[in-house]
Amino acid sequence: MSFAGDLWSRFRWGRTTEPARVVIIGAGFGGLGMAIQLKRAGHHNFLVVEKANDIGGVWRDNTYPGAACDVPSHLYCYSFEQDFGWSQRYATQPEIHAYLEQCTEKYGLDEHLKLGTEIASADFDERTGQWRLLTATGELIDADVLVPACGQLGRPATPDIPGLNSFTGTIMHSSRWQPDRDLSGRRVAVIGTGSSALQIVPAIAARTDRLTVFQRSASHIVPRLEASYSTARRQTARAPRTLSRLGWWLLYESMALGITRWPPAAAGAVRGSRALLAAQVEDPELRARLTPDTEIGCKRVGISSTYYPALVRPNVEVATDRIVAVTEHGIRTADAAEHVVDTIILATGFEATDFLAPMRIRGRDGQELSRVWRHGARAYLGITVPSFPNMFLIYGPNTNIGAGSIIYMLESQIRYIRRAIAKLTTAPGHSFDVRPRVEDRFHREMQRRMRSTAWVTCRSWYRHANGQVTNNWPGQTFEYRWRTSRFVLAEYRVTAHNREQRPAGTNQ
Ligand code: NAP
């Protein structure tokens, strides 16, 4: 665009009232939060497209026994919707799902929801400056602004174990629980010892005939200080709730400092995890096998006071020899033992580094996002990618945190995106595209800061196959909040498009 053209369009900005058409992909905490904030800002021209038939994201998908949030609910909720009346400190999955349903209803989001609709591709049309989305069933949806809010933990990772398909019993991933499979009196295997396994194992151990937990590497686990809230407490005034929220936030900020920059700040967690193991596991041989040999925080720290007690039950065994194969009737380990089971639970995590897959997203000059990200996903502030104009990610690369409430991070992104959308609404027919050097400087900063974090010291879902930490934010959450507090137009290329050529699509 010429300088004169730029001036003219800048002059025009602020005069228009037609709100940009926003399409949000995903109806989890991120997508719904974005929708609510648009509504609260008086912006009603948006659609939330969700591939499942229900809202909730991970809190819809993860219905395994014991599913709950191990971050206290006073913190793990929207800052603008704190008054829910949680029944306990760590809310269960049904309660969190109900919370999101209540938010959806309160803010009248139903009319904006398009459930059961999977987006197959999104293409940026350079003539009109719009995104054209194609659903899996062939429907076209147009958007001025595209907000993918697909999460990082939506697609189950199936381990590459020989013979997995030959197993004749029940096999299910933790996030695809089959409630009709009764585990009572069954011989069950749980593969994995991450946060999901830590909740499943204590919830099912007593009812199984025999439970074998396959541990590849031991986790650091700190106590979960559960508390149930009386009816009176549920209706407590705002002040104690705010104090509780602040207290937990400060605790997690110090933990984040310990993981990212200054290990002494995590010393309390190290002591807590050692003390928990010593107090709950008497057998020195088992205790040795459950002692992590990794730095605390390099993988997500487990939070459970019931996991170790479940492992020491007489019907529970911890198998630490490497799994070499799944057979028709069980699991074979490197010590040549065959563990006969009739149910295998894969608590093996998610394809977390394949952001936005399997959607095909094409930006300027037909550039494919999956190709741009072939060496690992990256985005300025985790939100915007050069050559993908007017696309703003929620829970994108480098925005996950090792400790704390992800909702705090999501709200930072939502606020930033809302500001970008407000700016775009005053500039119809324009697109904003982050300058490559701005994004590149940010990416280099991220990778430089990663070097001092615990995350580079072990394997986890935070890291791309090439070793780069693509998922996590290497600082404090307040730093991220501060850095996303302003939408700086100078960091973007501004392009004028010809809206007269707007193609006919739908945006109902
Ligand atoms: P995860 O943390 O990625 O853990 C996967 C587990 O499976 C690890 O123990 C891993 O071993 C093991 N594993 C993977 N492939 C294996 C193989 N081929 N053979 C043997 N073991 C294998 O997954 P997750 O537990 O589902 O948790 C993912 C994330 O979800 C968490 O980090 C957290 O962010 C979120 N989450 C949160 C909550 C909550 O309460 N807030 C609850 C559940 C999950 P290695 O450790 O050796 O790699």
Side-chain angles (χ1 to χ4, degrees):
M1 182 169 47
S2 69
F3 178 64
D6 185 39
L7 262 188
W8 168 238
S9 43
R10 274 164 207 257
F11 171 68
R12 278 188 357 209
W13 295 5
R15 290 182 157 205
T16 176
T17 48
E18 190 195 347
R21 291 192 293 186
V22 181
V23 173
I24 300 161
I25 307 177
F29 257 106
L32 293 177
M34 183 79 241
I36 292 169
Q37 290 299 14
L38 285 174
K39 266 220 138 155
R40 283 166 56 122
H43 188 125
H44 302 282
N45 193 9
F46 68 89
L47 188 66
V48 183
V49 186
E50 164 60 55
K51 72 173 182 316
N53 290 316
D54 188 13
I55 59 130
V58 292
W59 296 109
R60 172 201 59 230
D61 292 344
N62 287 271
T63 58
Y64 57 75
C69 186
D70 58 17
V71 178
S73 298
H74 285 163
L75 185 60
Y76 195 85
C77 63
Y78 294 126
S79 61
F80 51 86
E81 244 354 283
Q82 292 184 40
D83 189 11
F84 183 67
W86 302 102
S87 65
Q88 58 198 70
R89 179 173 289 148
Y90 297 96
T92 59
Q93 174 270 331
E95 204 167 9
I96 300 172
H97 190 255
Y99 169 80
L100 285 173
E101 277 178 334
Q102 183 179 299
C103 292
T104 304
E105 194 185 325
K106 174 173 173 183
Y107 290 97
L109 298 185
D110 271 342
E111 58 183 289
H112 298 273
L113 279 173
K114 193 168 167 63
L115 300 174
T117 306
E118 183 171 2
I119 300 298
S121 65
D123 286 82
F124 184 69
D125 182 331
E126 297 193 46
R127 285 179 310 123
T128 62
Q130 288 184 301
W131 284 94
R132 176 152 266 211
L133 281 63
L134 181 66
T135 71
T137 54
E139 189 186 347
L140 287 171
I141 300 172
D142 289 334
D144 296 324
V145 179
L146 179 62
V147 182
C150 306
Q152 298 189 4
L153 302 167
R155 277 166 319 103
T158 306
D160 188 16
I161 303 173
L164 204 59
N165 292 334
S166 65
F167 185 63
T168 51
T170 298
I171 189 157
M172 56 186 164
H173 188 272
S174 55
S175 70
R176 299 291 181 269
W177 198 260
Q178 299 164 27
D180 51 327
R181 304 291 165 155
D182 186 8
L183 301 180
S184 308
R186 315 286 287 177
R187 289 164 303 178
V188 179
V190 172
I191 302 180
T193 55
S195 303
S196 300
L198 259 50
Q199 296 184 341
I200 294 170
V201 168
I204 64 169
R207 82 174 100 122
T208 60
D209 172 49
R210 178 127 213 96
L211 175 61
T212 311
V213 178
F214 289 85
Q215 172 188 283
R216 187 164 64 179
S217 38
S219 307
H220 289 269
I221 302 173
V222 295
R224 173 164 140 158
L225 308 168
E226 187 58 277
S228 65
Y229 295 152
S230 63
T231 318
R233 175 99 195 256
R234 281 189 213 180
Q235 282 140 28
T236 33
R238 185 179 292 177
R241 200 179 55 213
T242 307
L243 266 183
S244 153
R245 186 175 165 87
L246 179 67
W248 284 108
W249 180 74
L250 287 171
L251 185 76
Y252 283 118
E253 285 296 86
S254 72
M255 186 64 195
L257 182 68
I259 295 172
T260 57
R261 249 179 311 163
W262 192 57
V270 175
R271 277 196 303 276
S273 83
R274 280 192 199 136
L276 185 72
L277 182 59
Q280 294 190 328
V281 180
E282 271 180 29
D283 174 8
E285 192 272 330
L286 178 60
R287 203 190 298 161
R289 286 196 288 142
L290 294 173
T291 303
D293 59 2
T294 49
E295 236 177 81
I296 196 159
C298 85
K299 288 189 285 185
R300 190 168 183 273
V301 176
I303 302 168
S304 176
S305 299
T306 53
Y307 180 67
Y308 291 140
L311 295 188
V312 298
R313 289 178 59 88
N315 67 328
V316 178
E317 182 195 353
V318 180
T320 47
D321 283 289
R322 189 172 55 85
I323 297 173
V324 289
V326 171
T327 62
E328 266 180 54
H329 303 294
I331 295 175
R332 193 172 329 117
T333 43
D335 56 349
E338 173 118 18
H339 302 262
V340 176
V341 294
D342 32 42
T343 305
I344 297 178
I345 296 163
L346 301 174
T348 45
F350 301 87
E351 307 280 3
T353 55
D354 293 344
F355 289 81
L356 303 189
M359 261 187 301
R360 204 201 58 203
I361 300 189
R362 281 194 295 213
R364 272 188 168 166
D365 307 318
Q367 289 188 57
E368 284 240 11
L369 190 59
S370 61
R371 187 155 170 73
V372 174
W373 282 355
R374 64 193 177 285
H375 302 303
R378 46 189 278 180
Y380 176 55
L381 299 171
I383 299 176
T384 63
V385 185
S387 296
F388 291 81
N390 292 358
M391 179 179 88
F392 301 97
L393 306 164
I394 292 182
Y395 202 9
N398 295 117
T399 64
N400 181 57
I401 45 177
S405 170
I406 193 60
I407 297 167
Y408 186 91
M409 296 293 279
L410 303 181
E411 285 192 31
S412 301
Q413 291 142 33
I414 289 166
R415 190 176 58 163
Y416 182 90
I417 297 169
R418 195 167 46 73
R419 290 189 174 150
I421 292 171
K423 192 69 110 191
L424 272 164
T425 292
T426 63
H430 288 75
S431 66
F432 301 159
D433 170 17
V434 69
R435 295 182 188 278
R437 69 177 154 76
V438 172
E439 190 273 342
D440 196 54
R441 196 170 50 220
F442 178 80
H443 174 70
R444 278 187 281 115
E445 178 203 333
M446 290 295 102
Q447 293 314 313
R448 178 177 43 77
R449 290 175 60 178
M450 286 306 169
R451 286 186 222 134
S452 67
T453 69
W455 303 318
V456 293
T457 63
C458 78
R459 166 185 52 193
S460 74
W461 65 264
Y462 303 151
R463 303 177 79 184
H464 188 266
N466 66 11
Q468 230 179 81
V469 182
T470 48
N471 291 54
N472 288 8
W473 170 249
Q476 311 299 118
T477 62
F478 70 78
E479 182 203 339
Y480 186 76
R481 173 71 48 111
W482 172 71
R483 288 182 68 169
T484 50
S485 62
R486 285 190 320 133
F487 178 79
V488 180
L489 192 58
E491 294 179 333
Y492 286 78
R493 296 182 288 205
V494 178
T495 308
H497 303 272
N498 184 357
R499 275 299 151 83
E500 302 313 310
Q501 298 180 31
R502 177 179 279 197
T506 65
N507 196 46
Q508 31 74 41

